[in-house]
Amino acid sequence: MVLVFKYLVPKGYTGISIFPFIFLNHKDLKSSKTLINHEKIHLQQQLELLIIPFYVWYIIEFFIRLLYFKNWHIAYKTISFEREAYARDYDLNYLKHRKFWAFLMYIKA
């Protein structure tokens, strides 16, 4: 379910997935197929890791990468979950053939 709630989406971002919802910061973004696909990839990742472990892993990986890169934006963009979602958000059929735990292919530093 896609909802518009700009106060839940962090500043500088257009959307966020919190299972089972996708929150967007503006109603016009509902028509962005790539953004919705990107967020649906995150929902699948969350399901695979049984939701709460996904967020724990996401936060730990982010802080490890932040320590390594010393740059918030680079740390965010290099999180394995984000790498997978950004690499595949234009493939609107990706979730139909995505392999279980596919984000593991994107863990490299």
Side-chain angles (χ1 to χ4, degrees):
M1 175 182 288
V2 180
L3 304 169
V4 177
F5 191 68
K6 67 180 180 179
Y7 301 110
L8 189 59
V9 179
K11 187 175 181 179
Y13 296 89
T14 54
I16 187 170
S17 298
I18 301 174
F19 189 83
F21 304 105
I22 296 172
F23 295 97
L24 304 174
N25 67 0
H26 195 274
K27 66 180 178 177
D28 292 343
L29 294 171
K30 283 184 171 185
S31 64
S32 173
K33 292 180 181 183
T34 55
L35 174 60
I36 300 302
N37 194 47
H38 179 102
E39 298 304 333
K40 284 182 177 180
I41 292 168
H42 287 318
L43 292 177
Q44 185 62 41
Q45 294 164 339
Q46 291 168 24
L47 271 176
E48 288 174 350
L49 287 170
L50 305 175
I51 302 163
I52 300 299
F54 167 86
Y55 297 110
V56 172
W57 185 325
Y58 191 104
I59 290 167
I60 291 170
E61 186 174 347
F62 172 78
F63 280 113
I64 289 170
R65 293 181 184 281
L66 184 59
L67 287 171
Y68 181 80
F69 292 111
K70 296 176 180 33
N71 180 294
W72 185 278
H73 184 71
I74 294 172
Y76 161 74
K77 285 285 203 169
T78 57
I79 296 169
S80 57
F81 301 115
E82 294 300 339
R83 282 182 176 192
E84 179 188 11
Y86 278 111
R88 302 300 185 153
D89 58 10
Y90 285 95
D91 181 355
L92 302 181
N93 293 311
Y94 178 62
L95 288 172
K96 293 177 184 170
H97 58 82
R98 180 183 179 271
K99 293 184 179 178
F100 193 75
W101 285 26
F103 67 89
L104 290 175
M105 296 185 332
Y106 297 87
I107 282 193
K108 65 183 178 195

